[in-house]
Amino acid sequence: MKIHEEDFESELRAALRAEAPPEDFAAKVLARAAALSPKPQVIAIPLWRKPAAWALAAGLAVAAVIPPAASEYQRRRELRALEARRELLLALSITRAKLRQTRERVQKNTRRIL
Amino acid sequence: MKKIWLLLTLVLSLAPLPLAAQDGFDFKTLDKLGVNAKNRTNITLDSNMLKMAAGFLGDDKESEPLRSLVDGLKGIYVRSYEFTKTGQYNESDLEPLRAYLKQAQWNRIVESKSDEESSEVYLQPAGANRLGGVAIISSEPREVTVVYISGNLKPEDIAKLSGNMGIPDIGSGRKDRKAKAKKDDE
Amino acid sequence: MVFSLALRFVRDRAGAEELAQDVFLQLYRQLSRIESPAHATWWLRRAVCHRSIDEVRKRKLRPRVGLESAPEPADKTATPDLLLQDRLRKLVGLLPEKARMVVLLRYQEDLDPSEIAETLAMPVSTVKSHLHRSLTLLRGKLQKQEVCS
């Protein structure tokens, strides 16, 4: 079977497609994490199977705001934010130009008709 | 215990997710418009990026109109392409977007066509005195631009979008290029 | 992501599972430094890449014969008729460690060269060089296998 160049990368992507861990992977990680804690932790298993637990855990993760520290990650995040700001202003500038252009075109066409 | 929940979230959340179309429309389908373009402007800002950007808009009074507008936005997508000569893009490549807007029940409130230029403005109704988005499709012989903004907008936000809000003009670069192209034609 | 990267890299399911668990536990010990889920993803990706490379080197799982000097199949009947993707995975597994990880980050995680460079702490030019050489090698080996099959 011949592989054309353009298909090769597609085949490579398909071959290396991410594979999910075993079903009990999360439980094993939690069990080992619990064993690291000084006090015994009660972990309700298989809570992770219940959608409500997913939502709660996701909410806790989002809510866990740790004061930003001076770090490489923070610096990169700020650079991304500045780039996003630049793009936002450009997008709004283009929007304004196009809305104004539309208004001018409508006015021009209206005058032509009249 | 909180740490355990955080860990659980991270373990479970790292499964690969399918790439969802942005805001219901796949803007990648517009990429072919710009295949022959000399200049391309591609902007994709989802709600996360908008939040990041909003953090750097300033706290002063002058920035307040802009900040309050951006606070209500969920996404901004711009595709703008400039070409060296006419006939370098297919008007039909805009049809998927028009079809999507029609299917999603956006109202085309403005359609202005002349021989060479076309402008359309769409609004998405979202309940009493509210808009879910504004879209602009503008085409002319050597330029085509699509703007798609979604969010929780008020009708007066449309006026804001065409007002100043302290945003500088696009930049002399684009205007100069257009002026030069026009002069080359003559 | 974590388990899958480890699996594709070390090509040993049990080893990948253990490595992935270790990475998450390492994160757990450092959770106070993590600022957001996105930061955690970035941290985990870096950690699994570096640990996988270290693990392979430690276990001396690197094949004695590298991909470049893997012999061409001399006899049709000696080469099993494997599915293409399985063959590709095996060939990727024969790449040198850093090149292998670059290919995985590109084709499994869809990272661009600058993101790969940041993850593996190597110059972007080195990433691109690894990608170019690896794809050329993989393509060549695959086509030669097809000719012989």
Side-chain angles (χ1 to χ4, degrees), chain A residues 22-113:
Chain A
E23 276 196 5
D24 59 352
F25 179 79
K28 284 182 183 173
V29 171
L30 292 181
R32 285 180 66 182
L36 289 175
S37 306
K39 292 180 187 173
Q41 300 270 355
V42 176
I43 302 168
I45 294 170
L47 260 184
W48 59 272
R49 285 187 182 276
K50 297 183 183 176
W54 289 45
L56 175 60
L60 283 171
V62 168
V65 175
I66 294 153
S71 67
E72 185 59 24
Y73 176 77
Q74 185 67 16
R75 187 187 70 83
R76 274 196 295 271
R77 197 179 145 77
E78 280 180 10
L79 286 172
R80 278 199 296 275
L82 284 168
E83 178 61 20
R85 175 187 174 275
R86 188 194 69 80
E87 290 197 332
L88 170 65
L89 294 180
L90 178 57
L92 292 175
S93 179
I94 293 173
T95 305
R96 176 178 64 201
K98 290 302 159 191
L99 283 172
R100 290 179 177 177
Q101 187 184 61
T102 301
R103 188 175 61 208
E104 283 161 15
R105 285 176 182 170
V106 168
Q107 286 169 347
K108 193 167 80 176
N109 288 341
T110 307
R111 278 196 294 270
R112 207 180 283 164
I113 292 166

Side-chain angles (χ1 to χ4, degrees), chain B:
Chain B
M1 190 61 180
K2 190 175 176 182
K3 275 176 77 172
I4 293 281
W5 280 112
L6 278 171
L7 184 63
L8 173 62
T9 308
L10 289 164
V11 172
L12 294 172
S13 67
L14 288 172
L17 293 173
L19 191 64
Q22 296 150 336
D23 240 76
F25 179 74
D26 186 358
F27 284 89
K28 277 193 165 50
T29 59
L30 296 178
D31 287 352
K32 52 185 121 163
L33 270 173
V35 161
N36 299 316
K38 186 181 173 196
N39 294 304
R40 296 181 184 86
T41 302
N42 273 15
I43 298 174
T44 297
L45 295 167
D46 61 14
S47 56
N48 285 335
M49 295 303 290
L50 284 169
K51 279 195 188 75
M52 284 175 87
F56 284 79
L57 287 177
D59 298 330
D60 53 306
K61 201 176 167 187
E62 284 75 27
S63 309
E64 204 281 327
L66 177 57
R67 280 200 316 276
S68 77
L69 172 72
V70 173
D71 279 347
L73 299 184
K74 282 197 287 189
I76 299 182
Y77 308 91
V78 174
R79 299 290 184 269
S80 187
Y81 305 111
E82 294 175 55
F83 306 89
T84 48
K85 26 185 203 194
T86 59
Q88 289 194 304
Y89 70 91
N90 286 322
E91 180 73 28
S92 60
D93 287 336
L94 290 165
E95 284 312 311
L97 175 60
R98 290 191 179 104
Y100 167 77
L101 293 172
K102 186 176 173 185
Q103 171 264 321
Q105 298 182 329
W106 290 56
N107 296 330
R108 185 165 56 192
I109 59 159
V110 173
E111 185 185 7
S112 170
K113 275 191 175 167
S114 65
D115 290 334
E116 293 189 324
E117 298 170 342
S118 161
S119 291
E120 297 159 81
V121 178
Y122 297 77
L123 296 179
Q124 185 185 40
N129 212 32
R130 285 285 175 191
L131 297 167
V134 57
I136 306 165
I137 303 176
S138 167
S139 58
E140 49 193 81
R142 278 193 288 252
E143 183 186 308
V144 60
T145 298
V146 169
V147 174
Y148 180 107
I149 298 174
S150 68
N152 183 12
L153 301 164
K154 302 186 283 290
E156 51 265 37
D157 288 332
I158 307 304
K160 263 192 199 175
L161 283 168
S162 59
N164 263 323
M165 291 195 294
I167 302 169
D169 270 338
I170 293 170
S172 58
R174 280 170 76 104
K175 288 182 184 169
D176 286 346
R177 283 195 295 269
K178 285 179 94 165
K180 185 179 180 304
K182 200 172 178 186
K183 197 179 173 188
D184 289 344
D185 265 351
E186 289 164 3

Side-chain angles (χ1 to χ4, degrees), chain C residues 57-110:
Chain C
R57 284 176 180 167
K58 199 169 59 174
R59 290 183 186 186
K60 297 189 196 308
L61 284 177
R62 183 176 183 174
R64 293 196 181 121
V65 177
L67 185 62
E68 295 91 332
S69 46
E72 308 305 338
D75 180 358
K76 280 186 208 180
T77 57
T79 308
D81 188 17
L82 301 168
L83 292 170
L84 172 62
Q85 288 176 14
D86 195 46
R87 281 154 63 198
L88 275 170
R89 279 191 287 272
K90 284 184 159 77
L91 288 172
V92 168
L94 291 175
L95 290 169
E97 291 100 11
K98 293 232 165 143
R100 193 186 321 167
M101 191 54 82
V102 166
V103 168
L104 286 175
L105 289 174
R106 181 80 187 101
Y107 293 100
Q108 182 183 281
E109 295 299 308
D110 246 343

Side-chain angles (χ1 to χ4, degrees), chain C residues 8 15 17-18 37 39 43 49 51 66 68 76 79 84 88 99 128 132:
Chain C
R8 297 276 182 245
E17 196 180 333
E18 189 182 330
H39 184 200
W43 190 99
C49 286
R51 285 202 69 149
E68 295 91 332
K76 280 186 208 180
T79 308
L84 172 62
L88 275 170
K128 289 181 179 175
H132 179 74

